[in-house]
Amino acid sequence: MTLLLLSTPERGKIWPRVFAEAGEDILVGEQAVHDPSAIEHIACWYPPKDLSVYTQLKTLISVGAGVDHLPALPEGIALSRTIAPGLEAMMRDWVVMATLMSHRDMPMYIAQARQGVWKAGSVAATGKRTVGILGMGRIGRLAAVSLLALGFRVRGWSLSGATVDDIEMFAADDLDVFLAGVDILVCLLPLTERTRGILGDALFGKLPRGARLVHAGRGGHLDMTALARALDDGQLASAILDVTEPEPLPAEHPFWNDPRIVITPHVAAQTDAREGAMHALAVIRAVREGRPIPGLVARERGY
Amino acid sequence: MTLLLLSTPERGKIWPRVFAEAGEDILVGEQAVHDPSAIEHIACWYPPKDLSVYTQLKTLISVGAGVDHLPALPEGIALSRTIAPGLEAMMRDWVVMATLMSHRDMPMYIAQARQGVWKAGSVAATGKRTVGILGMGRIGRLAAVSLLALGFRVRGWSLSGATVDDIEMFAADDLDVFLAGVDILVCLLPLTERTRGILGDALFGKLPRGARLVHAGRGGHLDMTALARALDDGQLASAILDVTEPEPLPAEHPFWNDPRIVITPHVAAQTDAREGAMHALAVIRAVREGRPIPGLVARERGY
């Protein structure tokens, strides 16, 4: 049951140690592979161009939480995305930070600082603002708990609209109703054909005037031109973005110096190398023992 | 039991309504006073220059949480500072936001954005950082609960070092030990003769190298020159300030464009007018019924 790791030098250093402690086999880098048929698992961000040489391949493990960058896999190969509690907590932290920054007018204060302007606006209580979370998976639910504890009203939207404790949930068809009551919109959706470009003119138009955007999904969700338009129209008041289209955002892009926008360079979360290795070990063992694979991706739903 | 309100136009509009509903007497502005001896309570930020005409004055109520701006009062006049749960929650929100911004290198990312630079640093888990809170009153304790829930290690310092649930507490004499273990220092102290200028060379020197400062106390706590020195030396990595010395910070002050500093213009919290009026009503009733006065300030301790 050998695993092949194709990833960063840091992971290449740490994973073999974790695997050695666990008594499992690992190879790092394709140049280390002499017998492709010995490889049963591949952990990577981008997979090898030709998977067909790995005749015994059982699972492909994405070393991140996302899988939208991966091509379709041949039948019979399971796809697992890394479930890492640390990564989820980091995402939660960034979302809580960005939501508070949005709520407390930080884009405006940051822009004022550039001009040397000391000018206080009014302060609203969290209880007067509704945060709407698009995508109520594990990270969305973690964020919701923290935001509720800070006194925000919180509502969630997911494909299924499945119940989440203490949160008013909306299903796919109720997107418009959901949006109509949102002051701060947080996007945590997976990127699928269904969600690509979802943050665009139509969606922005259904938010109350002056709503704020917090985006920690993928650049592909966001129509950057529509966002600029919504900000210029006053339909949106501000945006805090961890992802853009394209990435990296070019130095000359006008968003960098837009007083209504704050950008972080896709740093909402990073998988800890050790935590990623532990996930891969859990996958290997589940396959060996015929148990459900952790982080198994339902490709037909696109995530 | 008439109260005299000397404050903003907004309070001048809202307080009389709240008092009318409660059946209590209120006058707004000194020009409305015909018989100073009828005034038993004054609610204000800055008191009248001559208090001696108010011969029956029993309490002075600060309309904010702070009292450091007030002169010493004659014997026999009690001082109450406004206790407003909404204000405390707002302070908590700002502290949580600023602590996360500090933890997640937002001063650096904001400075990079000014240059159009997309460059990701590494992300640390909250569990790897210790937040030290100077001043563990009501707001400090609220902030501690939220920061613990986000996974930070939290320690507190107060004059008494009195026990706080789940928090490692340090008393006045243990300041050096407290500081030695702090990655992010949050100042929520009241301004007294003892704490004036406390954020200076000596204190910064006792923090671990590269520590970060979050300041929501008063400008008078902070030696701005010492802060600039500590940042230049690398002793401090960044500072997020809601208060400065002086306020407003002049447009030409170098802190505005310092890539290691984020400034908000004293907006961590604002007292809601209605909430302030409710506090004043509670004071009036406590005095009338001989009960302990809400928000009573122990002047000998300076707060």
Side-chain angles (χ1 to χ4, degrees):
Chain A
M1 297 280 260
T2 297
L3 176 137
L4 171 61
L5 174 67
L6 306 172
S7 187
T8 61
E10 193 204 357
R11 289 200 181 94
K13 220 165 61 184
I14 292 174
W15 283 44
R17 274 189 242 145
V18 177
F19 272 60
E21 285 164 21
E24 299 285 353
D25 294 330
I26 184 170
L27 293 175
V28 178
E30 283 202 277
Q31 73 290 349
V33 177
H34 301 296
D35 175 12
S37 71
I39 303 296
E40 291 178 278
H41 311 279
I42 295 178
C44 60
W45 184 246
Y46 293 112
K49 287 208 171 48
D50 182 11
L51 278 175
S52 68
V53 301
Y54 299 100
T55 53
Q56 302 302 308
L57 192 62
K58 290 191 170 66
T59 60
L60 194 81
I61 302 169
S62 170
V63 293
V67 295
D68 47 276
H69 59 289
L70 290 169
L73 296 180
E75 278 294 310
I77 300 179
L79 175 60
S80 167
R81 62 190 185 82
T82 294
I83 293 178
L87 178 136
E88 292 164 5
M90 282 175 184
M91 287 290 295
R92 184 264 323 268
D93 299 340
W94 189 92
V95 167
V96 171
M97 176 188 78
T99 303
L100 282 169
M101 287 176 68
S102 174
H103 168 58
R104 297 298 290 264
D105 302 315
M106 283 309 297
M108 179 181 85
Y109 289 125
I110 291 166
Q112 284 185 185
R114 290 191 194 195
Q115 312 293 332
V117 172
W118 177 284
K119 181 157 173 276
S122 63
V123 182
T126 51
K128 297 197 171 155
R129 294 257 163 82
T130 298
V131 180
I133 303 178
L134 287 171
M136 284 295 285
R138 301 163 61 99
I139 296 164
R141 295 198 297 272
L142 268 182
V145 168
S146 295
L147 294 168
L148 278 177
L150 290 170
F152 287 106
R153 297 182 301 230
V154 180
R155 51 171 59 185
W157 179 82
S158 67
L159 271 187
S160 67
T163 309
V164 175
D165 279 357
D166 303 325
I167 307 286
E168 189 185 7
M169 284 296 301
F170 295 76
D173 292 346
D174 300 323
L175 182 58
D176 293 4
V177 189
F178 166 83
L179 293 170
V182 167
D183 301 304
I184 302 174
L185 183 70
V186 175
C187 178
L188 284 170
L189 290 168
L191 184 62
T192 68
E193 282 321 303
R194 192 158 175 177
T195 63
R196 186 175 298 278
I198 189 173
L199 302 177
D201 288 322
L203 182 142
F204 295 148
K206 284 163 188 159
L207 288 164
R209 196 166 173 75
R212 297 148 195 231
L213 175 66
V214 167
H215 186 27
R218 293 276 183 239
H221 289 124
L222 178 61
D223 179 340
M224 303 271 283
T225 313
L227 173 57
R229 216 160 21 229
L231 289 166
D232 288 343
D233 292 350
Q235 175 58 17
L236 289 184
S238 69
I240 303 187
L241 311 175
D242 188 51
V243 292
T244 58
E245 181 72 34
E247 285 179 17
L249 193 67
E252 62 279 11
H253 197 284
F255 277 15
W256 286 119
N257 279 291
D258 191 308
R260 302 153 305 184
I261 298 176
V262 172
I263 294 169
T264 58
H266 207 139
V267 290
Q270 289 167 353
T271 315
D272 176 75
R274 172 166 290 270
E275 202 168 59
M278 298 303 290
H279 174 79
L281 284 176
V283 168
I284 291 174
R285 287 164 179 173
V287 169
R288 182 183 296 140
E289 295 161 18
R291 287 183 287 107
I293 296 176
L296 185 68
V297 175
R299 285 317 285 266
E300 70 280 6
R301 291 168 66 198
Y303 62 94
Chain B
M1 295 282 262
T2 298
L3 176 137
L4 170 62
L5 173 68
L6 306 172
S7 188
T8 61
E10 193 204 356
R11 288 200 181 94
K13 218 165 61 182
I14 293 174
W15 283 43
R17 274 190 245 148
V18 177
F19 273 60
E21 285 164 22
E24 299 283 353
D25 294 330
I26 185 170
L27 293 175
V28 178
E30 282 201 279
Q31 72 290 351
V33 178
H34 301 296
D35 174 13
S37 71
I39 303 297
E40 290 180 277
H41 310 280
I42 295 178
C44 60
W45 184 247
Y46 293 112
K49 287 209 170 48
D50 183 11
L51 278 175
S52 67
V53 301
Y54 298 99
T55 52
Q56 302 302 308
L57 191 63
K58 290 191 170 65
T59 60
L60 193 81
I61 301 169
S62 169
V63 292
V67 294
D68 47 275
H69 58 290
L70 290 169
L73 296 180
E75 276 296 307
I77 300 179
L79 175 60
S80 167
R81 63 190 184 81
T82 294
I83 293 178
L87 177 137
E88 292 164 7
M90 283 175 184
M91 286 291 294
R92 184 266 322 269
D93 298 340
W94 188 93
V95 166
V96 170
M97 175 187 80
T99 303
L100 283 169
M101 288 176 68
S102 174
H103 169 58
R104 297 299 288 265
D105 302 315
M106 284 308 297
M108 179 181 84
Y109 289 125
I110 291 166
Q112 284 185 188
R114 290 190 193 197
Q115 312 292 330
V117 172
W118 177 282
K119 183 159 172 276
S122 63
V123 181
T126 51
K128 296 196 172 157
R129 293 257 164 83
T130 298
V131 180
I133 302 178
L134 287 170
M136 284 296 284
R138 301 162 62 99
I139 296 163
R141 295 198 296 271
L142 268 182
V145 168
S146 295
L147 294 168
L148 277 177
L150 290 169
F152 287 106
R153 297 181 302 228
V154 179
R155 52 171 60 185
W157 180 83
S158 67
L159 271 188
S160 68
T163 309
V164 175
D165 279 357
D166 303 323
I167 307 287
E168 190 185 7
M169 285 296 300
F170 295 76
D173 291 346
D174 299 322
L175 181 58
D176 293 3
V177 189
F178 166 82
L179 293 169
V182 167
D183 300 305
I184 302 174
L185 182 70
V186 175
C187 179
L188 284 170
L189 291 168
L191 185 61
T192 67
E193 280 322 302
R194 190 157 178 179
T195 63
R196 185 173 297 278
I198 189 172
L199 301 176
D201 288 320
L203 181 143
F204 295 147
K206 283 164 189 158
L207 289 164
R209 196 164 174 78
R212 295 147 195 230
L213 176 66
V214 168
H215 185 26
R218 292 275 184 242
H221 289 123
L222 178 61
D223 179 338
M224 302 271 282
T225 312
L227 174 57
R229 216 161 20 228
L231 290 166
D232 288 343
D233 291 351
Q235 175 59 15
L236 290 185
S238 69
I240 303 187
L241 312 175
D242 187 53
V243 291
T244 59
E245 181 71 35
E247 284 178 20
L249 193 67
E252 64 278 11
H253 196 284
F255 277 14
W256 286 119
N257 279 290
D258 191 309
R260 303 155 304 186
I261 299 176
V262 171
I263 294 170
T264 57
H266 207 139
V267 289
Q270 290 167 354
T271 315
D272 175 75
R274 173 165 289 269
E275 203 169 57
M278 297 304 290
H279 173 80
L281 283 177
V283 168
I284 292 173
R285 286 163 181 174
V287 169
R288 181 183 296 141
E289 294 161 19
R291 287 183 288 107
I293 296 176
L296 185 68
V297 176
R299 285 316 288 263
E300 70 280 5
R301 290 168 67 197
Y303 64 94

